[in-house]
């Protein structure tokens, strides 16, 4: 039996199973990998009554999923008193909020506490770059402006 050329595989799969499987077959044969369930995520460990968690919810939560960081590492929430069993942590979480950079269920890095939105973005972006290979595609829409404005003087 002769081997079929790789280019004919997606066409045959398309006829047999539909376009979604053809696209998947094409990705597999070309070596292009799609983001899987084992991709990076940002786990926010919180607890009821946490004032800093509430502040993060007000300042960052609405815009996080719209950012490059949020698309690369989607947010997952975890309760401090009921940590998910599918996470392997480097040490116990004691502060809320604590932001865990997780890949394949393993903690890669963490940010303890919420330092305010001006510091959150550069810190979380740096952790994602250093520990899970995030490459920023320019200024995130939620990140503070990185340009330096002239200081106003009283005089």
């Amino acid at each position: 039996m002769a081997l079929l050329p790789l280019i004919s595989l997606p066409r045959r799969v398309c006829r047999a199973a539909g376009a979604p499987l053809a696209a998947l077959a094409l990705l597999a044969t070309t070596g292009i990998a799609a983001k899987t369930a084992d991709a990076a995520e940002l786990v926010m460990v919180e607890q009821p009554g946490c004032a800093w968690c509430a502040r993060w919810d007000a300042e960052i939560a609405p815009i996080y999923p719209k950012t490059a960081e949020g698309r690369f590492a989607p947010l997952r929430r975890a309760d401090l008193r009921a940590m998910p069993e599918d996470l392997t942590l480097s040490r116990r979480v004691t502060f809320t909020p604590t932001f865990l950079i997780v890949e394949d269920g393993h903690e890669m890095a963490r940010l303890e506490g919420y330092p305010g939105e001006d510091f959150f973005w550069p810190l979380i972006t740096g952790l994602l770059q250093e520990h899970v290979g995030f490459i920023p595609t320019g200024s995130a829409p939620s990140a503070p402006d990185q340009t330096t404005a002239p200081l106003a003087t009283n005089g």
Side-chain angles (χ1 to χ4, degrees):
M1 176 193 288
L3 294 176
L4 296 173
L6 288 179
I7 195 71
S8 68
L9 179 62
R11 199 173 322 123
R12 289 179 180 269
V13 172
C14 182
R15 275 187 246 139
L21 285 179
L24 184 59
L26 182 59
L27 288 175
T29 59
T30 58
I32 300 171
K35 197 172 187 179
T36 66
D38 294 333
E41 62 183 345
L42 178 67
V43 177
M44 178 183 176
V45 181
E46 57 190 337
Q47 64 181 327
C50 171
W52 290 102
C53 299
R55 185 170 167 196
W56 188 89
D57 282 339
E59 295 175 356
I60 305 296
I63 54 180
Y64 182 77
K66 300 173 187 174
T67 65
E69 292 85 348
R71 288 185 297 275
F72 181 83
L75 179 66
R76 175 179 173 191
R77 292 174 178 264
D79 187 286
L80 178 65
R81 308 281 182 239
M83 290 296 291
E85 292 181 16
D86 65 334
L87 295 179
T88 303
L89 304 179
S90 61
R91 66 184 190 278
R92 187 170 64 95
V93 175
T94 55
F95 302 102
T96 58
T98 292
F99 300 92
L100 305 171
I101 307 294
V102 175
E103 190 170 55
D104 299 328
H106 296 277
E107 176 185 346
M108 306 304 288
R110 72 172 59 189
L111 172 61
E112 294 179 312
Y114 173 57
E117 66 181 314
D118 290 341
F119 294 100
F120 176 79
W121 291 112
L123 289 171
I124 209 71
T125 300
L127 289 174
L128 287 168
Q129 286 176 298
E130 184 177 339
H131 297 281
V132 290
F134 173 65
I135 300 171
T137 57
S139 179
S142 56
D145 184 12
Q146 300 300 317
T147 61
T148 305
L151 296 174
T153 59
N154 292 336

